[in-house]
mmCIF file of all heavy atoms in Angstrom:
data_model
loop_
_atom_site.group_PDB
_atom_site.id
_atom_site.type_symbol
_atom_site.label_atom_id
_atom_site.label_comp_id
_atom_site.label_asym_id
_atom_site.label_seq_id
_atom_site.Cartn_x
_atom_site.Cartn_y
_atom_site.Cartn_z
ATOM 1 N N GLY A 192 -12.681 -8.228 4.055
ATOM 2 C CA GLY A 192 -13.228 -7.086 3.525
ATOM 3 C C GLY A 192 -12.278 -5.942 3.240
ATOM 4 O O GLY A 192 -11.147 -5.916 3.670
ATOM 5 N N ASP A 193 -12.843 -4.948 2.488
ATOM 6 C CA ASP A 193 -11.925 -3.766 2.157
ATOM 7 C C ASP A 193 -12.200 -2.695 3.158
ATOM 8 O O ASP A 193 -13.266 -2.620 3.680
ATOM 9 C CB ASP A 193 -12.223 -3.284 0.689
ATOM 10 C CG ASP A 193 -11.775 -4.359 -0.327
ATOM 11 O OD1 ASP A 193 -10.921 -5.047 -0.020
ATOM 12 O OD2 ASP A 193 -12.476 -4.390 -1.412
ATOM 13 N N PHE A 194 -11.218 -1.754 3.209
ATOM 14 C CA PHE A 194 -11.425 -0.587 4.077
ATOM 15 C C PHE A 194 -11.239 0.658 3.166
ATOM 16 O O PHE A 194 -10.334 0.748 2.261
ATOM 17 C CB PHE A 194 -10.311 -0.445 5.208
ATOM 18 C CG PHE A 194 -10.468 -1.653 6.031
ATOM 19 C CD1 PHE A 194 -9.684 -2.836 5.942
ATOM 20 C CD2 PHE A 194 -11.485 -1.790 7.021
ATOM 21 C CE1 PHE A 194 -9.894 -3.864 6.885
ATOM 22 C CE2 PHE A 194 -11.687 -2.796 7.908
ATOM 23 C CZ PHE A 194 -10.735 -3.859 7.830
ATOM 24 N N LYS A 195 -12.180 1.572 3.299
ATOM 25 C CA LYS A 195 -12.164 2.735 2.455
ATOM 26 C C LYS A 195 -12.130 4.024 3.207
ATOM 27 O O LYS A 195 -12.367 4.109 4.338
ATOM 28 C CB LYS A 195 -13.510 2.694 1.613
ATOM 29 C CG LYS A 195 -13.714 1.476 0.775
ATOM 30 C CD LYS A 195 -15.100 1.563 0.151
ATOM 31 C CE LYS A 195 -15.320 0.216 -0.698
ATOM 32 N NZ LYS A 195 -16.691 0.308 -1.386
ATOM 33 N N PRO A 196 -11.848 5.148 2.545
ATOM 34 C CA PRO A 196 -11.927 6.476 3.245
ATOM 35 C C PRO A 196 -13.267 6.660 3.835
ATOM 36 O O PRO A 196 -14.289 6.349 3.174
ATOM 37 C CB PRO A 196 -11.552 7.452 2.147
ATOM 38 C CG PRO A 196 -10.666 6.616 1.091
ATOM 39 C CD PRO A 196 -11.211 5.338 1.179
ATOM 40 N N ALA A 197 -13.312 7.245 5.035
ATOM 41 C CA ALA A 197 -14.564 7.543 5.516
ATOM 42 C C ALA A 197 -15.128 8.711 5.155
ATOM 43 O O ALA A 197 -14.506 9.678 4.675
ATOM 44 C CB ALA A 197 -14.421 7.576 7.133
ATOM 45 N N GLN A 198 -16.494 9.037 5.370
ATOM 46 C CA GLN A 198 -17.123 10.238 5.168
ATOM 47 C C GLN A 198 -16.742 11.266 6.185
ATOM 48 O O GLN A 198 -16.845 11.005 7.407
ATOM 49 C CB GLN A 198 -18.650 10.049 5.186
ATOM 50 C CG GLN A 198 -19.407 11.306 4.840
ATOM 51 C CD GLN A 198 -20.889 11.197 4.995
ATOM 52 O OE1 GLN A 198 -21.523 10.019 5.110
ATOM 53 N NE2 GLN A 198 -21.712 12.189 4.831
ATOM 54 N N ARG A 199 -16.213 12.357 5.791
ATOM 55 C CA ARG A 199 -15.860 13.402 6.749
ATOM 56 C C ARG A 199 -16.558 14.727 6.397
ATOM 57 O O ARG A 199 -17.105 14.954 5.313
ATOM 58 C CB ARG A 199 -14.354 13.614 6.588
ATOM 59 C CG ARG A 199 -13.580 12.401 7.159
ATOM 60 C CD ARG A 199 -13.627 12.321 8.572
ATOM 61 N NE ARG A 199 -12.810 11.283 9.149
ATOM 62 C CZ ARG A 199 -13.111 10.136 9.876
ATOM 63 N NH1 ARG A 199 -14.444 9.906 10.077
ATOM 64 N NH2 ARG A 199 -12.333 9.299 10.493
ATOM 65 N N ILE A 200 -16.694 15.473 7.447
ATOM 66 C CA ILE A 200 -17.342 16.863 7.247
ATOM 67 C C ILE A 200 -16.287 17.666 6.233
ATOM 68 O O ILE A 200 -15.128 17.546 6.256
ATOM 69 C CB ILE A 200 -17.602 17.669 8.628
ATOM 70 C CG1 ILE A 200 -16.154 17.804 9.231
ATOM 71 C CG2 ILE A 200 -18.413 17.020 9.451
ATOM 72 C CD1 ILE A 200 -16.254 18.632 10.561
ATOM 73 N N PRO A 201 -16.918 18.443 5.374
ATOM 74 C CA PRO A 201 -16.121 19.166 4.288
ATOM 75 C C PRO A 201 -15.100 20.159 4.994
ATOM 76 O O PRO A 201 -15.215 20.742 6.029
ATOM 77 C CB PRO A 201 -17.175 19.869 3.450
ATOM 78 C CG PRO A 201 -18.375 20.059 4.390
ATOM 79 C CD PRO A 201 -18.264 18.847 5.247
ATOM 80 N N LEU A 202 -14.082 20.472 4.169
ATOM 81 C CA LEU A 202 -13.063 21.451 4.611
ATOM 82 C C LEU A 202 -13.658 22.848 4.874
ATOM 83 O O LEU A 202 -13.218 23.566 5.749
ATOM 84 C CB LEU A 202 -11.996 21.476 3.637
ATOM 85 C CG LEU A 202 -10.945 20.254 3.646
ATOM 86 C CD1 LEU A 202 -9.819 20.398 2.453
ATOM 87 C CD2 LEU A 202 -10.187 20.178 4.903
ATOM 88 N N GLU A 203 -14.595 23.271 4.075
ATOM 89 C CA GLU A 203 -15.121 24.432 4.115
ATOM 90 C C GLU A 203 -15.788 24.576 5.586
ATOM 91 O O GLU A 203 -16.705 23.794 5.949
ATOM 92 C CB GLU A 203 -16.228 24.796 3.172
ATOM 93 C CG GLU A 203 -15.707 24.789 1.603
ATOM 94 C CD GLU A 203 -15.636 23.376 1.125
ATOM 95 O OE1 GLU A 203 -15.893 22.450 1.841
ATOM 96 O OE2 GLU A 203 -15.292 23.233 -0.196
ATOM 97 N N GLY A 204 -15.493 25.542 6.222
ATOM 98 C CA GLY A 204 -16.028 25.708 7.630
ATOM 99 C C GLY A 204 -15.152 25.207 8.667
ATOM 100 O O GLY A 204 -15.225 25.583 9.847
ATOM 101 N N ILE A 205 -14.062 24.569 8.337
ATOM 102 C CA ILE A 205 -13.118 24.113 9.443
ATOM 103 C C ILE A 205 -11.668 24.535 9.129
ATOM 104 O O ILE A 205 -10.744 24.365 10.009
ATOM 105 C CB ILE A 205 -13.048 22.548 9.634
ATOM 106 C CG1 ILE A 205 -12.681 21.859 8.409
ATOM 107 C CG2 ILE A 205 -14.492 22.081 10.138
ATOM 108 C CD1 ILE A 205 -12.472 20.373 8.576
ATOM 109 N N VAL A 206 -11.382 25.104 7.935
ATOM 110 C CA VAL A 206 -10.110 25.553 7.509
ATOM 111 C C VAL A 206 -10.104 27.079 7.526
ATOM 112 O O VAL A 206 -11.046 27.718 6.989
ATOM 113 C CB VAL A 206 -9.777 25.043 6.174
ATOM 114 C CG1 VAL A 206 -8.367 25.597 5.792
ATOM 115 C CG2 VAL A 206 -9.532 23.519 6.171
#
Side-chain angles (χ1 to χ4, degrees):
D193 296 326
F194 298 100
K195 302 176 181 178
Q198 179 183 357
R199 293 293 190 235
I200 57 177
L202 285 175
E203 298 84 356
I205 63 170
V206 176

